[in-house]
Amino acid sequence: SRILLQDTSAVPTSPWTHFVMMAGSTLRKVKSRSWKKQRHFRLLEDGMTIWYKSRWAGKGHSTFSVTEVEAVREGHQSEVLLSIAEEFPADLCFTLVFHGRQGNLDLVADSPEEAQAWIQGVRKLIHKVQTMDEKERLDQWVWDWFQKADKNKDGKMNFKEVRKLLKMMNVDMNEDHALHLFTMADKSESGSLEIEQFVHFYKILTQRDEVWKVFQDYSGDGEKLMLEELENFLMMGQQEGERSAQLAQELIDSYEPSESGAMSLDGFQKYLCSQEGSIFKPEQRDLHQDMSQPLSHYFISSSHNTYLLEDQLRGQSSLEAYIQALKRGCRCVEVDCWDGSDGEPIVYHGHTLTSKILFKDVISTVKEYAFKASDFPVILSLENHCGVEQQTIMAEHLSQILGDMLLTTVLDGQVPQQLPSPQELKGKILLKAKKIGGLEDCIDETLTDEVSDEEEANGDAESPSAEDPPAESLTENDKVKPRKSKSKLSKELSDLVLYCKSVHFHGFEQARLHGKCYEMSSFSESKAKRLAKEAGTDFVQYNTRQLSRIYPSGLRTDSSNYNPQDMWNVGCQIVALNFQTAGLEMDLSDGLFRQNGGCGYVLKPDFMRDGNTQFSPEKPEERPDYKPLRLSIQVISGQQLPKVNQKEGSIVDPLVRVEIYGVPQDQAKEETSHINNNGFNPVWNETLNFILHTPELTLVRFVVEDYDKASRNDFIGQFTLPFTCIQAGYRHIHLLSKDGTPIPPSSIFVNISISELT
């Protein structure tokens, strides 16, 4: 295959490799076939920052941290490098892939040896970053800041430089207090701090009174937590229940630097800042759900217009967009297919200026990346605009490229009464498209070669121009009226469609009486929203047996997204979002699918899997096992929030908002007041309260913003998770950037209590 992600595991590097990177190399930075420019790259002394500049750019230069790099691909493994493959051999080429939505960096070295030095060297550094613990990450962060601020590179900082650095780090503190701390840290009384002294200064600066107070509440002598005291804290403060005794010993072993058998304040703070002390239940992060139920019983991570990196009018179609979606655990990708001029089907957003890519390249890319993030099945949602001839070519490419990965026969030779499970379909790729006849015909081998008028009329191509009329208002005549351009389906392509046959939706009654479990319909967002409001219970019942796919309105030319929660509330499985567009809607999707090992499948609550369910999201209190809960969140403090405005004197005025997404009655938002000029260690100590009527469907989003009284607040960071994954007690919420990547060491410290409503 033409595109393949290399493993980023540890690679032994020679001293020569390190020498090459420190000394620097002139590499070609390539953006297109015509844009290839030489840049000088080198690794800075901190061993974590890569610096580069043009020879002719005077003082201008750029830097990026190795922490931003996700992987190194070797050879012609990007579209840009593939396009210049004839000019530069594979052993000179490599690609740095960045986290999140940042574009890749395609580079060409002068010799294979030089390329290898950078490939091996950067991989080694990525491995180092991936294996750091919280303390090492924090030390690295402090070291990075010291390097940035040490302008004359003498390894020392005087008080004036330290004050400037504090501003850069989002701290606006009283000058006398800062000088007092500086003097305490300046043990040598030289008037400047070396890196070790600066780390000491930073530690005094970041001493956290709010953590010390919690520690004091449970410590007998105020110096340490004995084993029983720590157990008591875990039982009372963290609501850990019976496992508190075993956990106490494990935490002392893991986080306590001393051999005393007790926990010091330092070890206590380390635990609270770790993944175990985070808001997300560790056991829910792993794959833990029952994966043996029918596909219709799961929410499935799904992408719309997967081929786009930007908007759908002018954006670039790219194989990279498929790679990014699949690596994020997406399990349903969309492929818009059109006739290519040279007989090869192409993929792009039809009738627009988006660029075009080859169908066969998309399929090769899907093959390589389908099961990197998850073993569970991938659904290829075909939006088929091709004539019969090129449909047959598509069928050939699917069969030849995917081979055994493509599911081509029903699992046990029987017409299914319910859909197979993710477990049974592990490692398989399924095709969602129109089909001639049904599975019954396939098994009988009695296929006609042409799509009937009715089949054609019932197809569900997503038309961005017109909204479907309500299904219930269609007359029998409307339902079977053929479209003017009667096209045919290729038998070869039709035969590859098994469990995801696209059909038009004719109302819930029709589906209940005549629907087959392998038939699925697509709904525009507005139609789905209307059906959810008018016939919520019917929609939930329908989705226990059949799959439904929801797609964004054709009016969203900027590739914006709708709120997926409305669709999950009625059990829709394939709620397709524009993965390329960051924001609230993708935060919710990432939040829902963060659980269960990030495998892209989340089991629906039991009341959404029962075919006779009477659940309605509009009336949650009518559920037989209705048990509302109270969620109380004390927002205590924030830590090292990033600056929003890079202007030298600006410091953020942060506030925290908690947003609840769920059934209509549960939608709510509450926020703290803002703290003036402190992004470093703001303290709120404010409590926000919520009532949850359907906690099983609730997502909780924590947002931190920079308050602005004159205009809209600026976004600082967020974290979203399912309510069912929240750990009660004193917890840290590790914030993510707008595009979903971590921004260590930024966090919010909260105390959470959950109780039944009495």
Side-chain angles (χ1 to χ4, degrees):
S1 166
R2 314 208 301 167
I3 291 205
L4 170 69
L5 176 64
Q6 296 291 339
D7 181 25
T8 59
S9 56
V11 182
T13 53
S14 62
W16 180 78
T17 293
H18 200 67
F19 170 75
V20 169
M21 293 175 75
M22 297 291 282
S25 304
T26 299
L27 306 170
R28 281 185 182 82
K29 180 181 172 185
V30 186
K31 284 190 180 177
S32 67
R33 290 179 79 149
S34 56
W35 198 103
K36 302 183 279 279
K37 303 209 171 157
Q38 291 194 322
R39 296 284 182 265
H40 191 71
F41 284 78
R42 68 184 171 89
L43 179 68
L44 296 185
E45 292 69 24
D46 66 355
M48 293 300 277
T49 307
I50 292 173
W51 174 100
Y52 67 98
K53 68 173 282 188
S54 155
R55 288 187 191 161
W56 305 277
K59 290 181 180 174
H61 68 270
S62 301
T63 60
F64 59 87
S65 169
V66 174
T67 57
E68 297 169 49
V69 184
E70 183 185 322
V72 187
R73 295 194 204 137
E74 217 169 320
H76 299 143
Q77 297 203 47
S78 74
E79 284 157 90
V80 170
L81 292 177
L82 273 172
S83 73
I84 58 162
E86 289 173 13
E87 193 178 347
F88 298 105
D91 60 4
L92 301 180
C93 300
F94 60 100
T95 302
L96 300 186
V97 181
F98 291 88
H99 291 288
R101 291 176 174 78
Q102 204 177 328
N104 295 345
L105 188 55
D106 290 308
L107 299 168
V108 180
D110 284 340
S111 70
E113 293 73 27
E114 193 168 47
Q116 275 305 310
W118 280 91
I119 290 165
Q120 307 275 7
V122 176
R123 280 190 190 153
K124 180 79 175 171
L125 294 172
I126 291 171
H127 181 72
K128 181 179 156 192
V129 168
Q130 288 172 341
T131 51
M132 279 182 187
D133 63 21
E134 293 296 321
K135 181 186 179 304
E136 289 169 326
R137 276 179 211 280
L138 193 61
D139 288 351
Q140 181 64 49
W141 186 76
V142 176
W143 171 256
D144 288 345
W145 276 113
F146 187 86
Q147 292 286 117
K148 271 184 208 164
D150 182 14
K151 295 289 187 226
N152 62 359
K153 300 293 175 224
D154 66 349
K156 294 178 182 162
M157 305 201 74
N158 60 30
F159 181 61
K160 190 179 170 191
E161 289 176 308
V162 164
R163 269 185 55 223
K164 207 167 178 184
L165 172 55
L166 292 180
K167 275 258 163 56
M168 285 163 67
M169 291 172 91
N170 229 346
V171 189
D172 189 17
M173 65 172 2
N174 174 300
E175 193 159 330
D176 294 341
H177 181 57
L179 183 58
H180 171 64
L181 295 184
F182 181 89
T183 311
M184 280 170 66
D186 181 17
K187 295 276 194 288
S188 56
E189 299 182 6
S190 64
S192 62
L193 304 182
E194 292 181 7
I195 180 66
E196 288 77 13
Q197 293 169 324
F198 178 72
V199 169
H200 177 62
F201 166 77
Y202 173 83
K203 286 225 163 98
I204 319 173
L205 187 67
T206 54
Q207 271 178 348
R208 292 179 52 190
D209 290 346
E210 73 279 22
V211 172
W212 182 78
K213 278 178 190 146
V214 177
F215 185 80
Q216 292 295 305
D217 285 346
Y218 290 89
S219 165
D221 63 0
E223 296 292 318
K224 60 190 172 302
L225 287 174
M226 302 306 291
L227 186 62
E228 305 76 53
E229 291 169 339
L230 181 56
E231 257 181 64
N232 188 31
F233 166 71
L234 293 171
M235 181 79 78
M236 307 299 293
Q238 304 297 71
Q239 298 182 28
E240 291 285 6
E242 291 170 10
R243 69 193 207 107
S244 298
Q246 182 194 344
L247 187 58
Q249 190 57 59
E250 285 173 14
L251 294 180
I252 289 175
D253 294 344
S254 298
Y255 298 105
E256 182 47 51
S258 70
E259 298 290 319
S260 64
M263 188 172 257
S264 64
L265 176 59
D266 207 22
F268 184 67
Q269 186 162 320
K270 259 200 221 156
Y271 151 63
L272 286 177
C273 292
S274 73
Q275 282 298 339
E276 280 175 285
S278 85
I279 189 171
F280 208 111
K281 285 181 187 166
E283 64 274 16
Q284 302 270 40
R285 274 188 186 276
D286 302 330
L287 184 67
H288 67 282
Q289 294 181 342
D290 174 6
M291 302 307 286
S292 64
Q293 303 209 21
L295 280 182
S296 53
H297 287 186
Y298 297 84
F299 296 122
I300 302 171
S301 176
S302 305
S303 152
H304 177 65
N305 287 351
T306 313
Y307 45 87
L308 291 181
L309 280 171
E310 296 160 50
D311 71 69
Q312 58 196 53
L313 288 184
R314 298 172 307 277
Q316 185 190 353
S317 302
S318 169
L319 300 176
E320 198 60 47
Y322 283 95
I323 295 172
Q324 287 178 13
L326 290 165
K327 283 196 333 202
R328 285 173 77 166
C330 178
R331 299 289 84 193
C332 179
V333 296
E334 186 182 22
V335 190
D336 273 18
C337 309
W338 299 79
D339 282 338
S341 53
D342 59 355
E344 279 292 342
I346 51 173
V347 173
Y348 81 115
H349 201 266
H351 313 302
T352 63
L353 300 175
T354 56
S355 58
K356 302 169 175 67
I357 47 182
L358 289 175
F359 176 78
K360 63 182 178 186
D361 286 351
V362 170
I363 303 308
S364 295
T365 303
V366 169
K367 180 188 179 178
E368 288 303 337
Y369 288 88
F371 303 110
K372 293 257 184 227
S374 167
D375 295 333
F376 294 108
V378 167
I379 299 169
L380 284 184
S381 180
L382 278 196
E383 182 72 7
N384 178 6
H385 304 275
C386 293
V388 176
E389 219 167 284
Q390 291 199 20
Q391 287 179 38
T392 306
I393 292 170
M394 283 161 58
E396 279 170 25
H397 288 324
L398 286 163
S399 301
Q400 285 170 7
I401 295 168
L402 298 177
D404 290 346
M405 279 186 186
L406 184 67
L407 192 71
T408 53
T409 54
V410 286
L411 290 187
D412 52 8
Q414 303 294 311
V415 177
Q417 295 311 302
Q418 62 175 30
L419 287 166
S421 69
Q423 187 64 42
E424 291 172 296
L425 294 169
K426 255 186 166 178
K428 291 294 181 191
I429 293 173
L430 282 64
L431 201 57
K432 172 202 164 285
K434 293 180 194 171
K435 182 174 181 63
I436 304 163
L439 284 183
E440 296 79 1
D441 306 317
C442 287
I443 291 161
D444 296 342
E445 295 288 321
T446 55
L447 265 173
T448 55
D449 202 11
E450 215 173 278
V451 62
S452 70
D453 284 356
E454 182 164 1
E455 289 284 358
E456 176 55 33
N458 291 359
D460 69 335
E462 294 164 15
S463 159
S465 52
E467 282 297 335
D468 295 314
E472 281 70 10
S473 71
L474 292 173
T475 66
E476 283 308 308
N477 267 349
D478 292 329
K479 289 180 186 175
V480 293
K481 198 190 301 175
R483 296 196 189 143
K484 282 199 179 80
S485 61
K486 180 186 160 190
S487 69
K488 296 178 178 180
L489 286 186
S490 144
K491 178 180 182 304
E492 289 82 356
L493 190 61
S494 166
D495 285 356
L496 298 179
V497 179
L498 296 172
Y499 295 112
C500 299
K501 175 187 173 180
S502 294
V503 300
H504 202 71
F505 178 70
H506 291 315
F508 295 122
E509 186 61 23
Q510 168 87 0
R512 194 164 31 245
L513 297 173
H514 306 292
K516 306 277 198 302
C517 67
Y518 59 80
E519 294 176 335
M520 61 177 289
S521 298
S522 290
F523 303 84
S524 67
E525 61 176 277
S526 49
K527 180 172 180 179
K529 214 168 171 178
R530 188 175 67 242
L531 288 172
K533 203 163 178 56
E534 292 168 5
T537 303
D538 291 335
F539 215 162
V540 175
Q541 285 184 2
Y542 170 85
N543 282 324
T544 61
R545 188 155 175 268
Q546 289 176 252
L547 293 174
S548 54
R549 178 176 184 272
I550 317 300
Y551 60 92
S553 153
L555 301 172
R556 294 183 181 275
T557 50
D558 57 351
S559 293
S560 60
N561 282 310
Y562 55 90
N563 186 328
Q565 186 70 46
D566 300 326
M567 316 308 169
W568 293 327
N569 285 344
V570 286
C572 297
Q573 304 86 352
I574 300 178
V575 179
L577 297 175
N578 288 300
F579 270 48
Q580 69 273 26
T581 308
L584 161 68
E585 298 82 11
M586 275 311 296
D587 292 347
L588 294 177
S589 181
D590 289 344
L592 177 67
F593 293 105
R594 193 163 273 127
Q595 63 188 314
N596 205 27
C599 77
Y601 285 83
V602 167
L603 190 62
K604 296 197 269 191
D606 53 5
F607 57 84
M608 303 188 95
R609 309 196 303 262
D610 169 9
N612 299 314
T613 182
Q614 292 304 305
F615 172 72
S616 162
E618 298 290 326
K619 298 175 190 146
E621 66 287 346
E622 291 179 6
R623 212 173 101 206
D625 49 356
Y626 170 66
K627 251 198 218 90
L629 295 176
R630 182 188 303 283
L631 170 64
S632 184
I633 300 170
Q634 182 193 7
V635 180
I636 303 172
S637 62
Q639 292 73 47
Q640 287 107 39
L641 303 175
K643 283 179 75 155
V644 174
N645 188 331
Q646 291 310 316
K647 269 196 263 154
E648 203 157 287
S650 76
I651 304 272
V652 298
D653 306 325
L655 62 84
V656 177
R657 186 167 59 254
V658 177
E659 303 174 348
I660 305 289
Y661 296 88
V663 298
Q665 278 184 50
D666 287 346
Q667 308 276 2
K669 293 178 185 181
E670 295 285 334
E671 65 185 42
T672 66
S673 53
H674 66 275
I675 306 283
N676 283 325
N677 283 337
N678 188 350
F680 192 70
N681 54 0
V683 174
W684 291 277
N685 274 326
E686 293 180 38
T687 301
L688 312 175
N689 290 301
F690 303 93
I691 306 292
L692 307 181
H693 298 277
T694 313
E696 300 91 337
L697 284 173
T698 301
L699 289 169
V700 184
R701 182 173 186 251
F702 295 85
V703 192
V704 185
E705 289 182 345
D706 178 13
Y707 174 76
D708 190 327
K709 65 174 183 288
S711 62
R712 268 181 69 176
N713 294 348
D714 285 318
F715 174 89
I716 292 176
Q718 68 83 31
F719 188 77
T720 307
L721 78 166
F723 169 78
T724 51
C725 296
I726 289 180
Q727 301 202 82
Y730 290 95
R731 304 292 173 186
H732 279 90
I733 297 162
H734 300 281
L735 295 174
L736 303 175
S737 69
K738 199 172 182 75
D739 68 1
T741 54
I743 37 177
S746 302
S747 62
I748 303 294
F749 186 44
V750 296
N751 184 13
I752 290 178
S753 66
I754 296 164
S755 56
E756 287 191 10
L757 221 56
T758 46

